[in-house]
Protein backbone atom coordinates (compact mmCIF):
# COMPACT_ATOMS: atom_id res chain seq x y z
CA UNK A 1 0.00 0.00 0.00
CA UNK A 2 2.86 2.38 0.83
CA UNK A 3 4.42 1.66 -2.57
CA UNK A 4 1.21 2.55 -4.40
CA UNK A 5 0.90 5.78 -2.39
CA UNK A 6 4.52 6.67 -3.17
CA UNK A 7 3.98 5.98 -6.88
CA UNK A 8 0.86 8.18 -6.93
CA UNK A 9 2.67 11.03 -5.15
CA UNK A 10 5.59 10.76 -7.60
CA UNK A 11 3.24 10.85 -10.60
CA UNK A 12 1.33 13.84 -9.23
CA UNK A 13 4.57 15.72 -8.56
CA UNK A 14 5.65 15.04 -12.15
CA UNK A 15 2.32 16.29 -13.48
CA UNK A 16 2.66 19.44 -11.38
CA UNK A 17 6.10 20.13 -12.84
CA UNK A 18 4.76 19.63 -16.37
CA UNK A 19 1.84 21.97 -15.67
CA UNK A 20 4.27 24.71 -14.65
CA UNK A 21 6.26 24.30 -17.85
CA UNK A 22 3.04 24.27 -19.84
CA UNK A 23 2.06 27.70 -18.47
CA UNK A 24 5.06 29.28 -20.22
CA UNK A 25 4.73 27.10 -23.32
CA UNK A 26 1.07 28.02 -23.70
CA UNK A 27 1.96 31.68 -23.32
CA UNK A 28 4.54 31.41 -26.09
CA UNK A 29 2.14 29.55 -28.35
CA UNK A 30 -0.39 32.37 -28.06
CA UNK A 31 1.97 34.62 -30.07
CA UNK A 32 3.16 32.09 -32.66
CA UNK A 33 0.84 33.32 -35.39
CA UNK A 34 1.16 37.03 -34.59
CA UNK A 35 3.27 38.62 -37.33
CA UNK A 36 4.12 41.58 -35.08
CA UNK A 37 6.42 39.34 -33.05
CA UNK A 38 9.73 37.72 -33.80
CA UNK A 39 9.84 34.17 -32.52
CA UNK A 40 12.99 32.18 -31.79
CA UNK A 41 13.15 28.62 -30.51
CA UNK A 42 16.46 26.84 -30.01
CA UNK A 43 16.27 23.17 -29.09
CA UNK A 44 18.62 21.02 -27.03
CA UNK A 45 19.75 19.40 -30.28
CA UNK A 46 21.05 22.74 -31.51
CA UNK A 47 22.95 23.28 -28.27
CA UNK A 48 24.38 19.76 -28.43
CA UNK A 49 25.73 20.38 -31.95
CA UNK A 50 27.88 23.19 -30.57
CA UNK A 51 29.37 21.02 -27.83
CA UNK A 52 31.02 18.76 -30.41
CA UNK A 53 33.23 21.64 -31.59
CA UNK A 54 36.84 21.62 -30.43
CA UNK A 55 38.45 24.98 -29.84
CA UNK A 56 41.64 26.35 -28.38
CA UNK A 57 40.09 29.66 -27.35
CA UNK A 58 39.27 30.11 -23.65
CA UNK A 59 36.18 32.23 -24.39
CA UNK A 60 34.85 29.64 -26.81
CA UNK A 61 35.50 26.84 -24.30
CA UNK A 62 33.58 28.83 -21.66
CA UNK A 63 30.73 29.27 -24.14
CA UNK A 64 30.63 25.54 -24.95
CA UNK A 65 30.70 24.60 -21.27
CA UNK A 66 27.85 26.98 -20.48
CA UNK A 67 25.60 25.74 -23.28
CA UNK A 68 26.37 22.04 -22.83
CA UNK A 69 23.76 21.77 -20.07
CA UNK A 70 21.08 23.88 -21.72
CA UNK A 71 17.90 22.25 -22.98
CA UNK A 72 16.38 25.15 -24.91
CA UNK A 73 15.79 28.82 -25.48
CA UNK A 74 12.57 30.52 -26.52
CA UNK A 75 12.17 34.19 -27.34
CA UNK A 76 9.12 36.23 -28.30
CA UNK A 77 9.99 39.81 -29.20
CA UNK A 78 7.82 42.64 -30.42
CA UNK A 79 8.83 46.24 -31.03
CA UNK A 80 6.49 48.96 -32.29
CA UNK A 81 3.42 47.13 -30.99
CA UNK A 82 0.39 48.41 -29.14
CA UNK A 83 -0.35 47.43 -25.56
CA UNK A 84 3.16 46.39 -24.60
CA UNK A 85 2.64 47.20 -20.92
CA UNK A 86 -0.67 45.28 -20.83
CA UNK A 87 1.10 42.25 -22.33
CA UNK A 88 3.92 42.64 -19.78
CA UNK A 89 1.46 42.68 -16.87
CA UNK A 90 -0.46 39.74 -18.33
CA UNK A 91 2.74 37.71 -18.71
CA UNK A 92 3.72 38.42 -15.11
CA UNK A 93 0.31 37.32 -13.85
CA UNK A 94 0.53 34.18 -16.02
CA UNK A 95 3.72 32.97 -14.34
CA UNK A 96 3.00 34.12 -10.78
CA UNK A 97 2.48 31.12 -8.56
CA UNK A 98 3.99 28.75 -11.12
CA UNK A 99 7.17 28.03 -9.17
CA UNK A 100 9.17 31.07 -10.30
CA UNK A 101 11.18 33.15 -7.87
CA UNK A 102 11.83 36.79 -8.63
CA UNK A 103 15.49 37.35 -9.15
CA UNK A 104 15.52 40.98 -10.13
CA UNK A 105 13.26 43.67 -11.52
CA UNK A 106 14.46 46.76 -13.34
CA UNK A 107 12.64 49.87 -14.39
CA UNK A 108 14.69 51.99 -16.75
CA UNK A 109 12.63 54.92 -17.94
CA UNK A 110 9.63 53.42 -19.70
CA UNK A 111 11.21 49.95 -19.95
CA UNK A 112 10.37 47.29 -17.36
CA UNK A 113 12.29 44.04 -16.92
CA UNK A 114 11.51 41.13 -14.64
CA UNK A 115 13.97 38.27 -14.22
CA UNK A 116 12.79 35.09 -12.54
CA UNK A 117 14.26 31.68 -11.98
CA UNK A 118 13.10 28.19 -11.21
CA UNK A 119 15.30 26.02 -9.06
CA UNK A 120 15.38 22.34 -8.31
CA UNK A 121 17.79 20.96 -5.73
CA UNK A 122 19.64 24.32 -5.67
CA UNK A 123 20.25 24.17 -9.43
CA UNK A 124 18.71 26.83 -11.64
CA UNK A 125 16.59 25.03 -14.21
CA UNK A 126 15.06 28.05 -15.93
CA UNK A 127 15.78 31.73 -16.36
CA UNK A 128 12.76 33.75 -17.44
CA UNK A 129 12.89 37.37 -18.57
CA UNK A 130 9.77 39.41 -19.24
CA UNK A 131 10.21 42.94 -20.55
CA UNK A 132 7.68 45.53 -21.56
CA UNK A 133 7.14 49.17 -22.39
CA UNK A 134 4.28 51.08 -23.99
CA UNK A 135 5.26 49.94 -27.48
CA UNK A 136 7.33 46.79 -26.90
CA UNK A 137 7.07 43.38 -25.29
CA UNK A 138 9.66 40.61 -24.94
CA UNK A 139 9.72 37.22 -23.24
CA UNK A 140 12.75 34.97 -23.08
CA UNK A 141 13.09 31.63 -21.34
CA UNK A 142 16.33 29.73 -21.09
CA UNK A 143 16.04 26.27 -19.58
CA UNK A 144 18.28 23.40 -18.64
CA UNK A 145 21.02 23.51 -16.03
CA UNK A 146 21.99 27.16 -15.83
CA UNK A 147 25.08 28.78 -14.35
CA UNK A 148 24.03 32.43 -14.00
CA UNK A 149 27.59 33.75 -13.82
CA UNK A 150 28.53 32.06 -17.09
CA UNK A 151 25.30 33.09 -18.82
CA UNK A 152 25.81 36.68 -17.65
CA UNK A 153 29.38 36.67 -18.93
CA UNK A 154 28.29 35.18 -22.25
CA UNK A 155 25.48 37.70 -22.63
CA UNK A 156 27.99 40.49 -22.16
CA UNK A 157 30.47 39.03 -24.66
CA UNK A 158 27.75 38.29 -27.19
CA UNK A 159 26.17 41.74 -26.73
CA UNK A 160 22.74 40.37 -25.79
CA UNK A 161 21.19 43.65 -24.66
CA UNK A 162 18.10 42.11 -23.05
CA UNK A 163 20.27 40.22 -20.57
CA UNK A 164 22.52 43.19 -19.89
CA UNK A 165 20.67 43.92 -16.64
CA UNK A 166 21.79 40.54 -15.26
CA UNK A 167 25.31 41.93 -15.02
CA UNK A 168 24.13 43.86 -11.97
CA UNK A 169 23.75 40.55 -10.14
CA UNK A 170 27.41 39.74 -10.59
CA UNK A 171 28.69 43.12 -9.39
CA UNK A 172 29.74 44.40 -12.82
CA UNK A 173 30.08 48.10 -13.37
CA UNK A 174 27.58 49.99 -15.52
CA UNK A 175 30.28 51.17 -17.92
CA UNK A 176 30.08 47.99 -19.99
CA UNK A 177 33.10 46.22 -18.48
Amino acid sequence: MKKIGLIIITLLAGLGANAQEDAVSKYFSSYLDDENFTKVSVTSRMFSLFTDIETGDENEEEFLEAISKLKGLKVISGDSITGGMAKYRSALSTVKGKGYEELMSVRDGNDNFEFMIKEKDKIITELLMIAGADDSFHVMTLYGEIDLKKITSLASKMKIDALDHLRKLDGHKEDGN
Side-chain angles (χ1 to χ4, degrees), residues 86-131:
K87 288 174 179 27
Y88 170 78
R89 288 185 195 102
S90 174
L92 288 178
S93 68
T94 298
V95 299
K96 295 287 183 190
K98 303 287 186 202
Y100 292 94
E101 176 185 348
E102 181 180 326
L103 190 60
M104 177 175 67
S105 62
V106 177
R107 181 171 183 164
D108 186 11
N110 189 36
D111 297 323
N112 294 279
F113 297 87
E114 186 89 23
F115 293 91
M116 293 175 260
I117 58 170
K118 266 191 187 178
E119 284 184 292
K120 183 177 181 182
D121 301 325
K122 297 188 180 186
I123 296 172
I124 296 172
T125 58
E126 183 177 2
L127 171 64
L128 176 65
M129 182 208 66
I130 302 172

Coordinates of all heavy atoms in Angstrom, one line a residue, residues 86-131:
A86 N 0.4 46.2 -21.2 CA -0.7 45.3 -20.8 C -0.2 43.8 -21.0 O -0.5 43.0 -20.2 CB -1.9 45.6 -21.7
K87 N 0.6 43.6 -22.1 CA 1.1 42.3 -22.3 C 2.1 41.9 -21.3 O 2.2 40.7 -20.8 CB 1.7 42.2 -23.7 CG 0.7 42.2 -24.9 CD 1.4 42.3 -26.2 CE 0.5 42.3 -27.4 NZ -0.8 42.8 -27.3
Y88 N 2.9 42.8 -20.8 CA 3.9 42.6 -19.8 C 3.2 42.2 -18.5 O 3.6 41.2 -17.9 CB 4.7 43.9 -19.6 CG 5.6 44.0 -18.4 CD1 6.8 43.3 -18.4 CD2 5.3 44.7 -17.3 CE1 7.7 43.4 -17.3 CE2 6.1 44.8 -16.2 CZ 7.3 44.1 -16.2 OH 8.1 44.2 -15.1
R89 N 2.2 43.0 -18.1 CA 1.5 42.7 -16.9 C 0.8 41.3 -17.0 O 0.7 40.6 -16.0 CB 0.5 43.8 -16.6 CG 1.1 45.1 -16.1 CD 0.1 46.1 -15.7 NE 0.7 47.4 -15.6 CZ 0.6 48.4 -16.5 NH1 -0.2 48.2 -17.6 NH2 1.2 49.5 -16.3
S90 N 0.2 41.0 -18.1 CA -0.5 39.7 -18.3 C 0.5 38.6 -18.2 O 0.2 37.6 -17.6 CB -1.1 39.7 -19.7 OG -1.7 38.4 -20.0
A91 N 1.7 38.8 -18.8 CA 2.7 37.7 -18.7 C 3.2 37.5 -17.3 O 3.3 36.3 -16.8 CB 3.9 38.1 -19.6
L92 N 3.3 38.6 -16.5 CA 3.7 38.4 -15.1 C 2.6 37.7 -14.3 O 3.0 36.8 -13.5 CB 4.0 39.8 -14.5 CG 5.2 40.5 -14.9 CD1 5.3 41.9 -14.2 CD2 6.5 39.7 -14.6
S93 N 1.4 38.0 -14.6 CA 0.3 37.3 -13.9 C 0.2 35.9 -14.3 O -0.2 35.0 -13.5 CB -1.0 38.1 -14.0 OG -1.5 38.0 -15.3
T94 N 0.6 35.6 -15.5 CA 0.5 34.2 -16.0 C 1.5 33.3 -15.3 O 1.2 32.1 -15.0 CB 0.8 34.1 -17.5 OG1 -0.2 34.9 -18.2 CG2 0.8 32.7 -18.1
V95 N 2.7 33.8 -15.0 CA 3.7 33.0 -14.3 C 3.7 33.0 -12.8 O 4.4 32.2 -12.2 CB 5.1 33.3 -14.9 CG1 5.2 33.0 -16.4 CG2 5.5 34.7 -14.6
K96 N 3.1 34.0 -12.2 CA 3.0 34.1 -10.8 C 2.4 32.9 -10.2 O 1.4 32.4 -10.7 CB 2.2 35.3 -10.3 CG 2.8 36.7 -10.7 CD 4.0 37.0 -9.9 CE 4.5 38.4 -10.2 NZ 5.7 38.8 -9.7
G97 N 3.0 32.3 -9.2 CA 2.5 31.1 -8.6 C 2.8 29.8 -9.3 O 2.2 28.8 -9.0
K98 N 3.6 29.9 -10.3 CA 4.0 28.8 -11.1 C 5.4 28.2 -10.8 O 6.0 27.6 -11.6 CB 3.9 29.1 -12.6 CG 2.6 29.6 -13.1 CD 1.6 28.5 -13.1 CE 0.3 29.1 -13.8 NZ -0.9 28.3 -13.4
G99 N 5.9 28.6 -9.6 CA 7.2 28.0 -9.2 C 8.4 28.9 -9.5 O 9.5 28.5 -9.3
Y100 N 8.1 30.1 -10.0 CA 9.2 31.1 -10.3 C 9.5 31.9 -9.1 O 8.6 32.3 -8.4 CB 8.8 32.0 -11.5 CG 8.7 31.2 -12.8 CD1 7.5 30.7 -13.2 CD2 9.8 31.0 -13.6 CE1 7.4 30.1 -14.4 CE2 9.7 30.3 -14.8 CZ 8.5 29.9 -15.2 OH 8.4 29.2 -16.4
E101 N 10.7 32.2 -8.9 CA 11.2 33.1 -7.9 C 11.7 34.4 -8.5 O 12.6 34.3 -9.5 CB 12.3 32.5 -7.0 CG 12.9 33.3 -6.0 CD 14.1 32.6 -5.3 OE1 14.2 31.4 -5.4 OE2 14.8 33.4 -4.6
E102 N 11.3 35.6 -8.1 CA 11.8 36.8 -8.6 C 13.3 36.9 -8.3 O 13.7 36.7 -7.2 CB 11.1 38.0 -8.1 CG 11.6 39.3 -8.7 CD 10.9 40.5 -8.2 OE1 9.7 40.5 -7.9 OE2 11.5 41.6 -8.1
L103 N 14.1 37.2 -9.3 CA 15.5 37.3 -9.2 C 15.8 38.8 -9.1 O 16.6 39.3 -8.3 CB 16.2 36.7 -10.3 CG 17.7 36.5 -10.3 CD1 18.1 35.7 -9.0 CD2 18.2 35.8 -11.5
M104 N 15.2 39.6 -10.0 CA 15.5 41.0 -10.1 C 14.5 41.6 -11.0 O 14.0 41.1 -11.9 CB 16.9 41.2 -10.8 CG 17.3 42.6 -11.0 SD 19.0 42.8 -11.6 CE 18.9 42.1 -13.2
S105 N 14.1 42.9 -10.6 CA 13.3 43.7 -11.5 C 14.0 45.0 -11.7 O 14.6 45.5 -10.9 CB 11.9 43.9 -10.9 OG 11.9 44.6 -9.7
V106 N 13.8 45.5 -13.0 CA 14.5 46.8 -13.3 C 13.4 47.6 -14.0 O 12.7 47.2 -14.9 CB 15.6 46.5 -14.3 CG1 16.3 47.8 -14.8 CG2 16.7 45.6 -13.7
R107 N 13.4 48.9 -13.6 CA 12.6 49.9 -14.4 C 13.6 50.9 -14.8 O 14.3 51.6 -14.0 CB 11.6 50.5 -13.5 CG 10.8 51.5 -14.3 CD 9.6 52.0 -13.6 NE 8.9 52.9 -14.5 CZ 7.6 53.2 -14.4 NH1 7.0 52.8 -13.4 NH2 7.1 54.0 -15.3
D108 N 13.7 51.1 -16.1 CA 14.7 52.0 -16.7 C 13.9 52.9 -17.7 O 13.6 52.5 -18.8 CB 15.8 51.2 -17.5 CG 16.9 52.1 -18.0 OD1 16.9 53.3 -17.7 OD2 17.7 51.6 -18.9
G109 N 13.5 54.0 -17.2 CA 12.6 54.9 -17.9 C 11.3 54.3 -18.1 O 10.6 53.9 -17.2
N110 N 10.9 54.1 -19.4 CA 9.6 53.4 -19.7 C 9.7 51.9 -19.8 O 8.8 51.2 -19.9 CB 9.1 54.0 -21.0 CG 7.7 53.6 -21.3 OD1 6.9 53.4 -20.5 ND2 7.4 53.3 -22.6
D111 N 11.0 51.4 -19.8 CA 11.2 49.9 -19.9 C 11.2 49.2 -18.6 O 11.7 49.7 -17.6 CB 12.6 49.7 -20.6 CG 12.7 50.3 -22.0 OD1 11.7 50.2 -22.7 OD2 13.8 50.8 -22.4
N112 N 10.5 48.1 -18.6 CA 10.4 47.3 -17.4 C 10.9 45.9 -17.7 O 10.5 45.3 -18.7 CB 8.9 47.2 -16.9 CG 8.4 48.5 -16.5 OD1 8.6 48.9 -15.4 ND2 7.7 49.2 -17.4
F113 N 11.7 45.4 -16.8 CA 12.3 44.0 -16.9 C 12.1 43.3 -15.6 O 12.2 43.8 -14.5 CB 13.8 44.1 -17.1 CG 14.2 44.8 -18.4 CD1 14.4 46.2 -18.4 CD2 14.4 44.1 -19.6 CE1 14.8 46.8 -19.6 CE2 14.8 44.7 -20.7 CZ 15.0 46.1 -20.8
E114 N 11.7 42.0 -15.8 CA 11.5 41.1 -14.6 C 12.3 39.9 -15.0 O 12.1 39.2 -16.0 CB 10.0 40.8 -14.5 CG 9.7 40.0 -13.2 CD 9.5 40.9 -12.0 OE1 9.1 42.1 -12.2 OE2 9.6 40.4 -10.9
F115 N 13.2 39.5 -14.1 CA 14.0 38.3 -14.2 C 13.6 37.3 -13.1 O 13.5 37.7 -11.9 CB 15.5 38.5 -14.1 CG 16.0 39.4 -15.2 CD1 16.1 40.8 -15.2 CD2 16.5 38.8 -16.4 CE1 16.6 41.5 -16.2 CE2 17.0 39.5 -17.5 CZ 17.0 40.9 -17.4
M116 N 13.2 36.1 -13.5 CA 12.8 35.1 -12.5 C 13.5 33.8 -12.8 O 14.0 33.6 -14.0 CB 11.3 34.9 -12.6 CG 10.5 36.1 -12.2 SD 8.7 35.8 -12.5 CE 8.6 36.7 -14.0
I117 N 13.6 33.0 -11.8 CA 14.3 31.7 -12.0 C 13.4 30.6 -11.4 O 12.5 30.9 -10.5 CB 15.7 31.6 -11.3 CG1 15.6 31.9 -9.8 CG2 16.6 32.5 -12.1 CD1 16.9 31.7 -9.1
K118 N 13.6 29.4 -11.8 CA 13.1 28.2 -11.2 C 14.3 27.4 -10.8 O 15.3 27.3 -11.5 CB 12.3 27.4 -12.2 CG 10.9 27.6 -12.2 CD 10.2 26.5 -13.1 CE 8.7 26.9 -13.2 NZ 8.0 25.9 -14.1
E119 N 14.2 26.8 -9.6 CA 15.3 26.0 -9.1 C 14.8 24.6 -8.7 O 13.6 24.5 -8.2 CB 15.9 26.7 -7.8 CG 16.8 27.8 -8.1 CD 17.5 28.3 -6.8 OE1 16.7 28.9 -6.0 OE2 18.7 28.2 -6.7
K120 N 15.7 23.7 -8.8 CA 15.4 22.3 -8.3 C 16.7 21.8 -7.7 O 17.7 21.8 -8.4 CB 14.9 21.4 -9.4 CG 14.5 20.0 -9.0 CD 14.0 19.2 -10.1 CE 13.6 17.8 -9.6 NZ 13.1 17.0 -10.6
D121 N 16.6 21.5 -6.4 CA 17.8 21.0 -5.7 C 19.0 21.9 -5.8 O 20.1 21.5 -6.1 CB 18.2 19.6 -6.2 CG 17.1 18.5 -6.1 OD1 16.4 18.6 -5.1 OD2 17.0 17.7 -7.0
K122 N 18.7 23.2 -5.7 CA 19.6 24.3 -5.7 C 20.3 24.5 -7.0 O 21.4 25.1 -7.1 CB 20.7 24.1 -4.5 CG 20.0 24.2 -3.2 CD 21.1 24.2 -2.1 CE 20.4 24.3 -0.8 NZ 21.3 24.4 0.3
I123 N 19.7 24.0 -8.1 CA 20.3 24.2 -9.4 C 19.2 25.0 -10.2 O 18.0 24.6 -10.2 CB 20.5 22.8 -10.1 CG1 21.6 22.1 -9.4 CG2 20.9 23.0 -11.6 CD1 21.8 20.6 -9.9
I124 N 19.6 26.0 -10.8 CA 18.7 26.8 -11.6 C 18.4 26.0 -12.9 O 19.2 25.6 -13.7 CB 19.3 28.2 -12.0 CG1 19.6 29.0 -10.7 CG2 18.4 29.0 -13.0 CD1 20.4 30.3 -11.0
T125 N 17.1 25.8 -13.1 CA 16.6 25.0 -14.2 C 16.0 25.9 -15.3 O 15.8 25.4 -16.4 CB 15.6 24.0 -13.8 OG1 14.5 24.6 -13.1 CG2 16.2 23.0 -12.8
E126 N 15.6 27.1 -14.9 CA 15.1 28.0 -15.9 C 15.3 29.5 -15.5 O 15.2 29.9 -14.4 CB 13.6 27.8 -16.1 CG 12.9 28.7 -17.1 CD 11.4 28.4 -17.3 OE1 10.9 27.6 -16.6 OE2 10.9 29.1 -18.2
L127 N 15.7 30.3 -16.5 CA 15.8 31.7 -16.4 C 14.7 32.3 -17.3 O 14.7 32.0 -18.5 CB 17.2 32.2 -16.8 CG 17.4 33.7 -16.9 CD1 17.2 34.4 -15.5 CD2 18.7 34.0 -17.5
L128 N 13.8 33.1 -16.7 CA 12.8 33.7 -17.4 C 12.9 35.3 -17.4 O 13.1 35.8 -16.3 CB 11.4 33.3 -16.8 CG 10.2 34.0 -17.4 CD1 10.0 33.5 -18.9 CD2 8.9 33.6 -16.6
M129 N 12.9 35.9 -18.5 CA 12.9 37.4 -18.6 C 11.6 37.8 -19.3 O 11.3 37.3 -20.3 CB 14.1 37.9 -19.3 CG 14.1 39.4 -19.4 SD 14.9 40.2 -20.8 CE 13.9 39.7 -22.1
I130 N 10.9 38.8 -18.6 CA 9.8 39.4 -19.2 C 10.1 40.9 -19.3 O 10.4 41.5 -18.2 CB 8.5 39.1 -18.4 CG1 8.2 37.6 -18.3 CG2 7.3 39.8 -19.1 CD1 7.1 37.2 -17.4
A131 N 9.9 41.5 -20.4 CA 10.2 42.9 -20.6 C 9.1 43.6 -21.3 O 8.5 43.0 -22.2 CB 11.5 43.1 -21.3

